[in-house]
Amino acid sequence: MTDKEVTKDEVEAAAKQVNAKPKKKDETLDEEQFKKQAADLGVGVIFDVPSNANRESIQTLSEDIAKQNRMVIFNKDKKTKTLHVAMIDTQSVNALNVLRFIAQKDRMNIEIYLTPENVLEKLFELYGSAEDAVDKVVESFAIEDEEDKDDLNIAGDKESLQDAPVAKLVHVIIKHALDGKASDIHIEPIDKTYRVRFRQDGVLHSSLTFPMEVGKAVISRIKILSNLKIDEKRKPQDGRFRINDKGKDIDFRVSSLPVVEGEKIVMRVLEKDRQTFDLKELGMMGTQYDMCMERIMDPFGMILMTGPTGSGKSTTLYAFLKILNGEERNIITLEDPVEYFVPGINQSQVKPEIGYNFASGLRSILRQDPNVIMVGEIRDGETAELGVHAALTGHLVFSTVHTNNAVGALPRLIDLGIEPFLIASAVRVIAAQRLVRKICEHCKEEKAVPDNIIEKIKIELEGVSDSEFRKYGLEPGAPFKFHHGKGCKKCGGLGLVGRLALYETIDIDRELQDLITEEDGNMPKVEAMARKKGYITLKQDGILKMLLGMTTLAELERVTEGDMSIGGKLDEISDEDQMHEEIKHNH
C-alpha cells in the first residue's frame, strides 16, 4: 500500500465519523458518555495512565509534536507490532498522518484510545525525566559564570532557587523517589561522579549519575532546604524539611556525612499516608499478637523491640501507641528524630548539641506525670537505668535496642550496667523484628520445591504446636505449598512488592524472671526455657508466613540467620536472582 493510498483511507475513515467528533477539552464528559463516544468512533478508551505506559515508547514522538497534536504513544508493543496511542481528537488528520508515517517506517499497527484531557496531561509528565534534568543542569553550568553559581546557594530568595536548574533536578529526584515508593534516597560521590540510589522495599537500586560539580550543587540545595550549614563539610549534620505533594505533607529526614570523595546525603522519606500502624497489617500473628496485645495493656513495665536499623522497630512501637492513644492516658515520646506526628501524643525530639539527650529528656518526662513513655533508643547506661526505674515505678515504657535477636537484649542491658534482678522485674516483653518483601498478589503462583528442602523446613518447624499452626491459618500435617511472583507490570517484573514484618517474641513470666536473676541473664538457658513455652523464632515465623504464600524462601534467608540451613544455595531453589539480571539486561 502506498503512502498516498494510506493517507486517503485514514482521511476517509475520519470523515465518515465527523458527526461523532468528541467535545472540546473544556467540556466535561462522564465515563458513560465517554465510552459511548469511543464506541461511536470505533476506538478504545482509557480513564487513567495505563500500567504499560513507559518512557521509551513515549519518546517515539518528540514532546513538541505530541503536545501539538494532543496525543501520546504510550506503549510500543514489539511482540504484537502495535503502537498504543492516547488521543484527544481521534479524527485529527495531522495527527493521523504523523502516526501513519511512524507506523509504516517501523512496520507497526496502530491502536487508538480516546483519552480525557487530564489523563493526557499525566502522560505528558512522563517526558520529564531525571536524565533530562541532569542534561539541563550540566548545560546551565557550562554557560553560568562564577557569580551565577554563588547566587544558586543563597537561601533567602526562594523564588530564584525554585527556577534554578539544580532546584528542578532535586525536585525530579524527589518525585521519582515518591513515584517509586522509595523509603530512602542516597546521593553519594563515587569515582569522580555522584550517584543516586533509591531504597525500595528494603533493597537499594541505582537511579542515575551526574557530574561531580552538579552533585555538589545538589548537595548544597538539599542542605539549604534542611537548614544545614552549607560551608560545613567536615562533620556530619542532621536536618529535615517538608514538601506538599498533591495535597499530602511529606517529611524528609536528612543526614549529611563527609566521605573520602566529598559529602554524602541520605534522605529518609516519611510519608504519613503510606505508613501502616496496625499490628496485623504489619505482620504480627498467632500467639505473639495475643501476647503483645495483653502486655501493652499492663499499667507498668518495659516492652523492648530489637533489631538493626531499618527493621521497622519504631513502626511497631507506633502501632502499640496507636492502640493506647486515648484521653485517659498521658503518652509522651522522646525520639531522635520524630519520624511521624501522631495527634494526641506528646512527641519530643532530643537535641544533643544543647545537652537535651535521651537521659536528660527522660528525667524531664518523668516530671510530666506520664502513663506511657516511648524512648526512641536505649544507647547508654544512664538512659537504660532511668527507663528501667520508670518501668518499676508505675510507668509503661516502650523502647528499642540494637541486638540480633530477642534474647540478645538481656546481655545488652547487663553490659549497660543494669542488674539482672532489675531486668527481670522491669521487662515484660522482648520482641525482635525483621522486614521481608512480599510476593506480588497480581502475579503470584505456586512453585515446586525439592523434597530435601521440605524435609529441612519440617525440622525447622519442630516444636511449633498444632494450635500455633491453626492461629496462623494453617492446617497441621497438610502438604506444604510454596509460592513466588513470576513478575508483572504491577511489581516491575520483580515478583515482589511491599514489605512484611517477621517477629520473635519472648514473654518474661515468673519462671523466666527467676531464671534471669539466678543465671545472670544467661542467653542459652533463657532461650531453652522460652522454647519449652512455645517461643517462635524469626525463622519459624518467616516459614509459617512463607507457607501462607506471603513471602519467598529466598527473602527469608536474606534477612534471617543466613546460614542456608533450610534453603541450600539460593540459586538452586529460586530464580529471582536470574530474573533480576534479566530485568537489568533488558533495561
Side-chain angles (χ1 to χ4, degrees):
M1 187 178 287
T2 67
D3 287 5
K4 186 174 181 180
E5 290 172 333
V6 173
T7 304
K8 183 179 178 181
D9 290 343
E10 295 283 7
V11 172
E12 286 179 353
K16 288 178 182 178
Q17 297 165 340
V18 70
N19 292 330
K21 190 171 182 178
K23 296 183 180 182
K24 295 179 182 179
K25 64 181 180 181
D26 57 345
E27 297 180 29
T28 57
L29 286 170
D30 62 29
E31 287 195 10
E32 289 304 317
Q33 288 176 311
F34 220 87
K35 287 177 182 176
K36 184 178 184 304
Q37 188 77 62
D40 291 341
L41 291 165
V43 297
V45 61
I46 55 175
F47 293 106
D48 202 353
V49 175
S51 59
N52 60 350
N54 61 86
R55 179 173 174 264
E56 183 182 354
S57 298
I58 284 171
Q59 291 190 329
T60 304
L61 276 180
S62 71
E63 187 172 1
D64 290 341
I65 292 176
K67 288 185 174 180
Q68 180 183 339
N69 291 281
R70 310 306 293 162
M71 67 178 179
V72 171
I73 299 175
F74 63 84
N75 182 261
K76 193 174 182 179
D77 194 329
K78 295 178 181 177
K79 289 183 179 179
T80 61
K81 293 187 175 301
T82 304
L83 297 175
H84 297 270
V85 188
M87 298 179 71
I88 294 291
D89 183 357
T90 62
Q91 303 160 56
S92 167
V93 175
N94 286 338
L96 292 172
N97 280 337
V98 170
L99 291 176
R100 175 191 55 77
F101 175 78
I102 294 173
Q104 285 193 341
K105 184 183 69 171
D106 296 338
R107 296 183 179 179
M108 304 281 280
N109 301 311
I110 302 172
E111 191 166 324
I112 295 174
Y113 298 85
L114 186 61
T115 310
E117 181 75 23
N118 64 321
V119 176
L120 194 73
E121 290 298 331
K122 289 179 183 177
L123 287 168
F124 284 148
E125 289 178 9
L126 297 179
Y127 275 101
S129 68
E131 290 84 355
D132 296 335
V134 170
D135 292 341
K136 290 178 181 177
V137 174
V138 173
E139 184 181 345
S140 73
F141 267 60
I143 62 174
E144 283 177 345
D145 56 26
E146 290 300 318
E147 186 177 349
D148 291 331
K149 290 181 184 178
D150 291 338
D151 289 343
L152 193 64
N153 292 333
I154 297 174
D157 188 357
K158 293 185 178 179
E159 289 302 319
S160 63
L161 281 171
Q162 188 63 35
D163 295 334
V166 171
K168 291 179 180 177
L169 175 55
V170 172
H171 172 79
V172 170
I173 291 171
I174 289 173
K175 185 177 184 302
H176 278 236
L178 295 177
D179 290 345
K181 294 181 167 45
S183 61
D184 299 87
I185 305 169
H186 292 238
I187 304 175
E188 55 204 347
I190 179 168
D191 193 25
K192 297 181 181 179
T193 63
Y194 261 84
R195 174 177 67 178
V196 178
R197 292 190 290 173
F198 298 147
R199 187 178 294 280
Q200 295 166 304
D201 293 334
V203 179
L204 279 170
H205 301 278
S206 291
S207 175
L208 71 153
T209 59
F210 36 71
M212 182 64 74
E213 287 305 311
V214 175
K216 289 178 180 178
V218 167
I219 295 292
S220 294
R221 169 64 180 166
I222 293 170
K223 290 170 81 171
I224 288 171
L225 290 172
S226 312
N227 290 321
L228 303 181
K229 295 178 181 177
I230 300 175
D231 57 347
E232 180 55 81
K233 301 177 182 179
R234 299 169 300 168
K235 63 182 182 182
Q237 297 184 76
D238 293 301
R240 66 190 299 149
F241 65 91
R242 176 179 293 183
I243 67 167
N244 187 281
D245 180 52
K246 298 175 183 175
K248 295 187 297 183
D249 285 334
I250 301 170
D251 291 324
F252 291 83
R253 188 180 74 192
V254 180
S255 171
S256 73
L257 179 74
V259 293
V260 174
E261 296 186 62
E263 197 172 6
K264 172 174 178 173
I265 287 277
V266 175
M267 295 188 283
R268 169 65 58 88
V269 183
L270 305 174
E271 190 173 350
K272 299 175 191 175
D273 293 342
R274 193 194 304 173
Q275 194 59 55
T276 299
F277 297 133
D278 182 277
L279 287 177
K280 286 190 174 179
E281 285 188 35
L282 290 172
M284 190 172 281
M285 304 173 72
T287 302
Q288 301 188 105
Y289 176 80
D290 298 336
M291 183 194 307
C292 287
M293 288 298 294
E294 181 181 347
R295 285 304 194 181
I296 65 174
M297 294 301 172
D298 288 347
F300 56 85
M302 178 178 279
I303 295 176
L304 290 175
M305 294 298 302
T306 78
T309 302
S311 59
K313 304 184 297 296
S314 296
T315 304
T316 298
L317 291 184
Y318 275 114
F320 291 154
L321 294 180
K322 182 182 175 184
I323 295 168
L324 297 174
N325 191 10
E327 290 185 2
E328 71 280 5
R329 293 187 181 91
N330 179 21
I331 302 175
I332 305 179
T333 73
L334 194 61
E335 305 172 60
D336 184 21
V338 176
E339 293 191 10
Y340 302 101
F341 298 101
V342 184
I345 295 177
N346 304 287
Q347 297 171 270
S348 181
Q349 180 168 323
V350 301
K351 295 180 180 177
E353 64 272 14
I354 61 171
Y356 182 51
N357 53 30
F358 281 119
S360 62
L362 192 48
R363 282 197 197 89
S364 300
I365 283 175
L366 290 171
R367 292 192 286 271
Q368 290 281 316
D369 185 32
N371 300 107
V372 181
I373 301 169
M374 186 182 99
V375 181
E377 184 184 343
I378 293 177
R379 298 175 180 172
D380 54 71
E382 190 176 7
T383 306
E385 185 179 0
L386 287 167
V388 166
H389 283 290
L392 291 170
T393 55
H395 305 90
L396 184 60
V397 180
F398 298 108
S399 192
T400 69
V401 290
H402 285 200
T403 62
N404 289 328
N405 53 23
V407 185
L410 298 175
R412 175 62 180 151
L413 290 175
I414 293 171
D415 182 55
L416 290 173
I418 308 301
E419 294 291 341
F421 73 90
L422 290 175
I423 297 172
S425 301
V427 179
R428 291 287 180 266
V429 168
I430 307 173
Q433 181 172 339
R434 297 290 189 280
L435 293 174
V436 293
R437 290 179 290 177
K438 294 191 293 186
I439 298 174
C440 174
E441 290 296 329
H442 294 90
C443 61
K444 182 165 73 173
E445 63 180 13
E446 280 197 46
K447 181 180 180 180
V449 170
D451 291 340
N452 64 316
I453 302 299
I454 294 174
E455 290 303 315
K456 289 177 181 178
I457 289 174
K458 287 179 179 177
I459 293 171
E460 280 288 335
L461 290 177
E462 287 179 0
V464 179
S465 66
D466 289 352
S467 64
E468 193 67 35
F469 267 89
R470 292 190 181 96
K471 283 185 178 181
Y472 274 75
L474 294 165
E475 189 59 37
F480 292 165
K481 290 184 178 180
F482 300 86
H483 297 80
H484 78 141
K486 62 181 180 180
C488 66
K489 290 164 186 170
K490 294 283 186 182
C491 59
L494 295 175
L496 299 161
V497 63
R499 289 195 286 179
L500 172 78
L502 307 183
Y503 295 95
E504 63 178 26
T505 309
I506 297 179
D507 184 27
I508 310 296
D509 61 9
R510 184 55 61 87
E511 286 184 81
L512 279 171
Q513 285 179 340
D514 293 340
L515 182 64
I516 291 169
T517 303
E518 293 167 8
E519 299 291 338
D520 291 339
N522 184 291
M523 279 181 61
K525 291 185 178 180
V526 171
E527 187 170 358
M529 180 176 283
R531 281 183 180 273
K532 288 180 183 178
K533 295 174 176 291
Y535 163 66
I536 302 293
T537 66
L538 275 169
K539 183 165 280 190
Q540 288 172 334
D541 182 50
I543 292 172
L544 292 172
K545 287 168 180 170
M546 178 187 68
L547 297 177
L548 286 168
M550 301 170 83
T551 190
T552 66
L553 190 54
E555 273 297 292
L556 177 59
E557 287 290 356
R558 181 177 68 85
V559 303
T560 55
E561 295 171 14
D563 56 4
M564 307 304 170
S565 60
I566 65 168
K569 294 180 179 179
L570 291 185
D571 56 4
E572 293 177 359
I573 60 169
S574 172
D575 55 5
E576 289 173 21
D577 290 343
Q578 182 181 351
M579 189 189 303
H580 288 205
E581 288 301 318
E582 288 176 359
I583 292 167
K584 192 185 297 182
H585 175 72
N586 290 338
H587 282 291

